[in-house]
């Protein structure tokens, strides 16, 4: 029987590409996101292309108790891989930001990821097999003026993932954090980022493939792309005042 993977934020972008990569390798996929119609279209595509089983789980992870509701909705399938991909950002000065939108970022990017990891982990530990793939960002490695809440949430994702991976060593369950850079998705439009000189964009399928392979190999962290890896190595050792200034200038473009 094929194993099941549950992917949040699976209706577009990196999440949809991760679903395609898992399905292509024979995994059944449970797809979670807000847009039920797009999820169903993705499920139909995957069933037809790869002859796998799918389940569509519409959910808004910015709502209280949404993670627990998603966990309960997945009853009846044995989730061997959890992919916490759902997340969003917003550009603007923190003092001008709508508080509810900032709270929503924390709920989706941090709280739902933490809750789902905690809810699905005991079953994996009992079976002594499983993997969690958390989608972070190179934003985790420096402060992000005018996107400060988003950058801070991704710092949490990176720290949480690496710490949990260490806790679970030898348990049969692995945790991997995927740290993409700027990627060709709808993220920037939703975040309200419109740079006059856009940064180079990665292909979402390439990013998804890197994350999938790293998770299958039990790696704790993967950062696709040479420049992104350089940022992840150099930024943490530079003064935060310097890296914050660089990010601020990039965002002002």
């Amino acid at each position: 029987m094929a194993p099941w993977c549950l992917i949040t934020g699976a209706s577009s972008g990196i999440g949809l590409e991760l679903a395609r990569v898992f399905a292509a390798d024979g995994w059944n996929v449970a797809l979670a996101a807000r847009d039920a119609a797009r999820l169903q279209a993705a499920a139909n595509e995957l069933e037809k292309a790869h002859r796998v089983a799918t389940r569509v789980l519409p959910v808004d992870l910015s709502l209280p108790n949404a993670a627990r509701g998603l966990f309960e909705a997945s009853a009846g399938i044995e989730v061997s891989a959890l992919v916490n991909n759902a997340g969003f950002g917003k550009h603007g000065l923190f003092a001008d930001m709508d508080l509810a939108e900032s709270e929503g970022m924390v709920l989706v990017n941090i709280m739902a990821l933490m809750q789902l990891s905690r809810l699905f982990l005991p079953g994996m530990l009992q079976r002594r097999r499983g993997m969690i793939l958390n989608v972070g960002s190179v934003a985790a490695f420096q402060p992000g003026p005018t996107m400060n809440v988003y950058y801070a949430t991704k710092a949490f994702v990176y720290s949480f993932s690496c710490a949990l991976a260490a806790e679970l060593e030898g348990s049969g369950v692995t945790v991997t954090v995927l740290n993409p850079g700027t990627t060709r998705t709808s993220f920037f439009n939703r975040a309200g980022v419109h740079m006059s000189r856009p940064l180079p964009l990665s292909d979402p399928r390439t990013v998804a493939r890197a994350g999938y392979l790293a998770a299958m190999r039990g790696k704790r962290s993967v950062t696709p792309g040479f420049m992104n890896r350089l940022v992840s190595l150099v930024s943490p050792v530079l003064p935060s005042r310097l890296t914050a200034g660089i990010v601020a200038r990039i965002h002002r473009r």
Side-chain angles (χ1 to χ4, degrees):
M1 181 181 295
W4 279 90
C5 171
L6 188 151
I7 304 171
T8 66
S11 61
S12 64
I14 295 172
L16 177 56
E17 293 301 335
L18 279 163
R20 287 168 173 157
V21 171
F22 271 90
D25 211 18
W27 287 73
N28 297 326
V29 286
L31 308 174
R34 294 181 301 168
D35 193 324
R38 294 179 72 173
L39 286 180
Q40 190 60 61
N44 294 343
E45 172 203 322
L46 297 176
E47 289 176 1
K48 182 177 179 180
H50 305 295
R51 300 186 182 278
V52 296
T54 65
R55 182 175 289 192
V56 170
L57 302 170
V59 63
D60 184 348
L61 290 173
S62 69
L63 299 177
N65 299 316
R68 184 169 295 278
L70 177 57
F71 175 70
E72 292 171 353
S74 69
I77 62 174
E78 184 178 291
V79 174
S80 298
L82 170 66
V83 180
N84 287 306
N85 168 74
F88 71 97
K90 189 66 178 178
H91 181 263
L93 296 173
F94 178 68
D96 299 332
M97 197 81 65
D98 179 69
L99 180 57
E101 192 150 36
S102 294
E103 290 170 342
M105 253 186 285
V106 173
L107 287 170
V108 176
N109 298 8
I110 292 179
M111 189 64 73
L113 178 146
M114 180 274 292
Q115 291 172 329
L116 289 171
S117 298
R118 176 60 182 82
L119 289 166
F120 282 100
L121 183 57
M124 295 180 183
L125 288 172
Q126 186 176 19
R127 296 187 295 271
R128 293 196 61 79
R129 68 177 183 278
M131 61 185 185
I132 298 173
L133 173 59
N134 292 327
V135 179
S137 169
V138 290
F141 303 111
Q142 62 274 308
T146 68
M147 289 191 73
N148 58 72
V149 175
Y150 173 76
Y151 275 56
T153 63
K154 292 306 181 179
F156 172 90
V157 172
Y158 181 78
S159 177
F160 171 77
S161 301
C162 292
L164 184 57
E167 288 183 15
L168 297 175
E169 189 169 1
S171 69
V173 181
T174 62
V175 180
T176 302
V177 57
L178 169 62
N179 309 300
T182 51
T183 306
R184 194 176 299 108
T185 69
S186 60
F187 172 86
F188 293 102
N189 286 335
R190 183 179 181 187
V193 179
H194 305 287
M195 292 181 284
S196 59
R197 289 187 296 156
L199 297 171
L201 298 177
S202 300
D203 173 61
R205 186 168 183 83
T206 301
V207 171
R209 186 70 181 165
Y212 175 77
L213 290 175
M216 292 299 291
R217 294 166 182 165
K219 293 183 64 175
R220 293 190 180 184
S221 177
V222 58
T223 306
F226 173 77
M227 288 304 297
N228 295 326
R229 287 192 292 274
L230 185 62
V231 167
S232 72
L233 292 171
V234 173
S235 291
V237 301
L238 294 175
S240 60
R241 185 183 183 92
L242 174 61
T243 55
I246 292 171
V247 172
R249 285 195 294 274
I250 291 172
H251 288 178
R252 278 199 300 267
R253 292 184 191 176

